[in-house]
Amino acid sequence: MKVLVVGGGAREHAIAWKLSTSPLVDALFVAPGNAGTAAVAENLPVRDTDLDGLVRSAKELNVDVTFVGPEVPLAMGIVDRFTEEDLRIFGPTAAAARIESSKVFAKELMIRHGIPTGRAEVFDSYQDADRFVRKLSPPLVVKADGLAAGKGVTVARTQDEALTALRECMVEGVFGEAGERVLVEEWLTGLEVSVFAFVAGEVLSPLAAACDYKRAHDGDRGPNTGGMGVYSPPEYWNDALEREIRESIMLPVVRAMAEEGCPFSGVLYGGLMLTEDGPKVIEFNCRMGDPEAQVLMARLRTDLAEIVLATLDGMLSETPIEWSDDACVGVVLASGGYPGSYVTGFPIAGLSEAAEFGEVFHAGTKASDRSGAETVTAGGRVLTVVSSGGSLADARQRAYGGAAKVSFDGAFYRTDIAAIHKSEEGA
Ligand code: AMP
Ligand code: GLY
C-alpha cells in the first residue's frame, strides 16, 4: 500500500523509518518531511497544516492510508476532512483531539468520569482568576486552555509567577485564543511518566512508557522546550503499574470519550504523575510524543503498518503488539539559542559516523540549496540520536557516543539524559 506521513520532525522521521521496514508498504511519502525522511520516503512540499494540499496530494498519489504525527492538523480536523473525502487516515477526529487541544475539556471529562487528576478551577475572567490565585499558597500550576506549542503551562513557585502567567495569558494574549481560558491547577509531585497506547474506540493496546526531559539545559535548568531527550522503558515500569494505569486512567478515559460521542482512534498519550496517592493525569495528548516517538518506534517490534490497519479495521484487539525489552535512549541536538531565537543553515557533519551508534532521526534539517549533497540545519531541534542496549547505561553510552560525532555551528545537547531521573528535576 501507499502511505503518507504528515509532519516534519524527528517523530515523523521515526514513524516513516518504522513504516519503511513494513512489507505491507510499497510507497511512502512524508509531507513536508526533512533531509532524514528523504532517505526513507519521498518528501512532498506540502505544509502539515495545509489540509487542502494534503487531501489533493493523497488523491493524486492514490495514497491508501495517512498517518498524522503532530497535534495541530489533528486539532484542525484533518481526520474529519480526509474521512469526508473517503480517504483513510490514522488519528483522532477534531472532537476527539480536544482531549489535547482543550485542557478544560480534558479536565471536565476526567472529573465527570472520576479519572484521577489534579484539582483545578477553570476561569474565563482574568479578575476572577487573579482573585482566586491570591487566596492560594504556591506552588501551583497555571495552564492556558488551548494548544500553545508546549509553552502554555507555568509551574509557579511563587504567587507573583502565577499572577504573571495569568496576565500573559488573559491580558497580554501571548497565546492568542488558546489563553483566553485558563486552568489553575494543584501542583502534583512524584515521578513523571508518559504512557502510550494505540486506541480504537474502547479497545486499548498494551501500554508503552517513556520519560522525557523538557528543560533546555542540564540539571533541568533553563526554559521549557519541545523535549531534549528521552528514555524508555522507565526503570520502575512493571506489569502491576501498567495494569493500574490501564484500569484507573487509560481505559476509563477512552470509554468516557466513546460514551460522550467522541470515540478516540489513534495514539493516546497520557502525561502522568505517579503521586503518593497513585497515578494522576497531568495532561492527555492525542498523538505520539516528540521525542518519545523516537524511542517507541525503536522499541516497537510489531509492524506499524499492520497496527494502523488493525486500528482502522476494528481488529486492534486481535493484533498482538510487542515492545522490545531493550532500554532505549534518545538525545536531542539543538541549534544554539533554542528554544529562543537561533540561526539556521549550518552544515551538519558526522551524520554517518553517528549512525554507527544507532538511529539518527532528523527534525530541523534540509539538503543545502547549493549542492543538495550537504545537510544543513533548518530548525531549533535538529535531530535525535537514538540507541538501544541491554541496560539503560549501555543505551545511554551509545546514544552519547553518537551525539558526540555530530557537529554544526552552535550545536548543543543535554549531557544528563537518562542519568538524572525526572523526579530529580526541579519542577
Ligand atoms: P504540559 O505542557 O501540560 O506537558 O506541562 C509541562 C510540564 O509541566 C509537565 O511535563 C509537568 O512537568 C509540569 N506540570 C504540568 N501540570 C503539573 C501539575 N499539576 N503539577 C506538577 N507539574 C505539572
Ligand atoms: N514530549 C512532549 C510532547 O510531545 O508533547
Side-chain angles (χ1 to χ4, degrees):
M1 61 182 180
K2 294 184 174 176
V3 182
L4 167 63
V5 176
V6 174
R11 166 180 50 206
E12 288 74 28
H13 185 190
I15 291 166
W17 165 80
K18 182 67 190 166
L19 286 168
S20 73
T21 63
S22 167
L24 297 172
V25 176
D26 40 42
L28 187 59
F29 305 96
V30 186
N34 55 45
T37 60
V40 293
E42 182 183 331
N43 286 346
L44 305 177
V46 185
R47 276 177 298 116
D48 60 11
T49 50
D50 175 6
L51 305 194
D52 290 336
L54 292 166
V55 165
R56 211 174 311 122
S57 300
K59 287 188 169 172
E60 275 168 19
L61 296 163
N62 290 316
V63 164
D64 296 294
V65 62
T66 297
F67 191 117
V68 188
E71 64 277 15
V72 172
L74 292 167
M76 287 170 74
I78 189 173
V79 170
D80 310 72
R81 186 66 210 289
F82 269 55
T83 308
E84 279 162 23
E85 305 273 354
D86 276 329
L87 294 164
R88 303 193 92 194
I89 184 161
F90 177 83
T93 60
R98 283 179 301 166
I99 199 71
E100 171 167 5
S101 66
S102 170
K103 291 187 193 292
V104 173
F105 170 83
K107 184 65 75 178
E108 290 176 344
L109 184 90
M110 287 187 272
I111 291 168
R112 277 198 297 281
H113 294 268
I115 296 165
T117 183
R119 285 189 307 268
E121 293 280 333
V122 177
F123 295 95
D124 46 30
S125 144
Y126 168 67
Q127 281 75 19
D128 293 350
D130 182 274
R131 209 171 306 129
F132 182 71
V133 162
R134 286 180 196 278
K135 283 190 297 200
L136 299 179
S137 46
L140 50 90
V141 186
V142 176
K143 299 184 170 185
D145 174 42
L147 294 182
K151 300 190 180 82
V153 173
T154 303
V155 178
R157 296 192 163 276
T158 65
Q159 201 169 63
D160 267 356
E161 274 181 73
L163 294 173
T164 303
L166 280 183
R167 244 187 339 268
E168 284 175 356
C169 275
M170 305 186 88
V171 181
E172 291 159 28
V174 297
F175 304 119
E177 258 178 50
E180 282 173 7
R181 281 201 295 180
V182 299
L183 279 152
V184 178
E185 192 173 277
E186 170 192 10
W187 186 58
L188 299 172
T189 54
L191 297 173
E192 197 178 334
V193 63
S194 308
V195 301
F196 297 86
F198 295 97
V199 179
E202 298 186 38
V203 178
L204 193 73
S205 75
L207 307 181
C211 296
D212 78 333
Y213 295 74
K214 288 203 171 76
R215 299 298 189 99
H217 304 300
D218 281 3
D220 213 42
R221 278 185 272 274
N224 262 318
T225 69
M228 292 298 292
V230 61
Y231 69 93
S232 174
E235 56 280 32
Y236 51 80
W237 188 247
N238 59 40
D239 290 347
L241 182 58
E242 184 194 347
R243 197 171 327 110
E244 185 182 5
I245 291 172
R246 188 182 177 78
E247 282 167 15
S248 70
I249 292 173
M250 299 297 274
L251 268 176
V253 76
V254 298
R255 285 182 181 147
M257 293 183 77
E259 197 182 306
E260 297 203 4
C262 52
F264 192 92
S265 176
V267 175
L268 182 63
Y269 164 160
L272 313 180
M273 194 71 90
L274 306 179
T275 74
E276 275 184 359
D277 304 323
K280 292 189 179 177
V281 178
I282 296 174
E283 61 165 358
F284 284 111
N285 295 318
C286 64
R287 36 116 193 138
M288 283 190 222
D290 185 344
E292 290 95 326
Q294 290 87 302
V295 290
L296 293 179
M297 291 300 95
R299 287 190 54 223
L300 181 62
R301 283 237 174 93
T302 315
D303 183 340
L304 180 60
E306 207 178 303
I307 299 173
V308 166
L309 292 182
T311 305
L312 295 176
D313 292 337
M315 302 287 285
L316 186 60
S317 58
E318 284 110 275
T319 307
I321 293 176
E322 258 192 87
W323 302 95
S324 138
D325 289 331
D326 279 356
C328 196
V329 173
V331 176
V332 173
L333 276 77
S335 297
Y338 173 79
S341 60
Y342 50 82
V343 180
T344 60
F346 296 119
I348 306 172
L351 289 170
S352 48
E353 290 85 346
E356 288 168 23
F357 291 81
E359 295 301 327
V360 180
F361 293 123
H362 293 221
T365 69
K366 62 174 193 177
S368 81
D369 298 333
R370 270 173 292 131
S371 64
E374 199 173 54
T375 303
V376 298
T377 63
R381 286 191 292 176
V382 174
L383 44 87
T384 311
V385 180
V386 171
S387 299
S388 300
S391 70
L392 201 56
D394 284 351
R396 177 170 194 278
Q397 194 176 12
R398 284 171 53 75
Y400 276 109
K405 296 289 178 193
V406 179
S407 58
F408 54 87
D409 270 13
F412 79 96
Y413 54 85
R414 279 182 64 156
T415 64
D416 58 358
I417 303 304
I420 66 157
H421 192 273
K422 285 290 290 182
S423 61
E424 299 167 51
E425 294 188 311

